[in-house]
Amino acid sequence: MVENYMRQSPLAPLGLNARAAGFAADAEFGITLAERQVPGQIGLRLDASNKTLLELAEKALGLPLAITANTANSKANKTCLWLGPDEWLVIAPRPLIDKLQTALQDHHAAVFDVSDSRIVISLSGSNARDVLKKGCGLDLHPRVFGPGQCASSTLSMAHVLIHQTATDSYNLFVHRSFAQYLWAWLEDAGGEYGVGISVD
């Protein structure tokens, strides 16, 4: 694990703070981009059909696991994203990893810290869905994909986990090595609508 004093976003060279400060407070944009800070990312694997395991995990998390495909559950500063029938990404403070590992240590389950593998780019605005549709093969129509849903896909050439958090807001989880590429692509794809940058 990287020491806190050495941790730097892969987007740091883009000078997002300075760029965000250059926008007028009342400016309107079709999309707004921001790097979203999350407390920690925990990988979790277990057999969800095992009620004992499920209850142990949920008690340790203080949050129900999302057991319906492509859905997410949130409570306070914790979010559980469904990745597969036996796999989740949990967004929660890092100390929760120890609590979860202790709760599941005598069972067939895996808990691992993936906090440094991905960053989260927030994409919001009235044209956010239009931008995603330019580079993603998922059916993102509101009838089939709305707030509280998530799915893994590719956006342009980057592998992403897309989590729709509100009607016009998405969190895009992308591996650090693709972060600058994806940010540049989003700015380019959103250019026709007007792109704002904010600081989380």
Side-chain angles (χ1 to χ4, degrees), residues 84-106:
D86 65 349
E87 185 176 8
W88 297 264
L89 177 65
V90 179
I91 309 305
R94 286 188 181 205
L96 199 60
I97 295 171
D98 294 336
K99 188 174 181 181
L100 198 52
Q101 286 176 333
T102 299
L104 299 172
Q105 64 184 353
D106 297 324

Side-chain angles (χ1 to χ4, degrees), residues 103-124:
L104 299 172
Q105 64 184 353
D106 297 324
H107 301 274
H108 187 67
V111 180
F112 39 98
D113 187 351
V114 292
S115 300
D116 295 316
S117 66
R118 298 181 181 101
I119 69 155
V120 184
I121 297 174
S122 169
L123 168 66
S124 61

Side-chain angles (χ1 to χ4, degrees), residues 148-159:
Q149 292 188 278
C150 62
S152 293
S153 185
T154 54
L155 183 55
S156 187
M157 294 185 291
H159 178 267

Side-chain angles (χ1 to χ4, degrees), residues 66-101:
I67 56 175
T68 301
N70 300 116
T71 62
N73 289 337
S74 296
K75 182 179 180 182
N77 63 343
K78 295 176 283 190
T79 298
C80 174
L81 300 143
W82 185 94
L83 300 182
D86 65 349
E87 185 176 8
W88 297 264
L89 177 65
V90 179
I91 309 305
R94 286 188 181 205
L96 199 60
I97 295 171
D98 294 336
K99 188 174 181 181
L100 198 52
Q101 286 176 333

Side-chain angles (χ1 to χ4, degrees), residues 38-52:
V38 295
Q41 299 180 56
I42 305 167
L44 173 63
R45 300 202 69 165
L46 57 80
D47 179 3
S49 67
N50 184 322
K51 299 304 180 186
T52 300

Side-chain angles (χ1 to χ4, degrees), residues 15 20 57 61 75 118 122 138 145 174 184 186 200:
L61 287 172
K75 182 179 180 182
R118 298 181 181 101
S122 169
L138 289 176
F145 198 92
V174 61
L186 289 166
D200 186 15

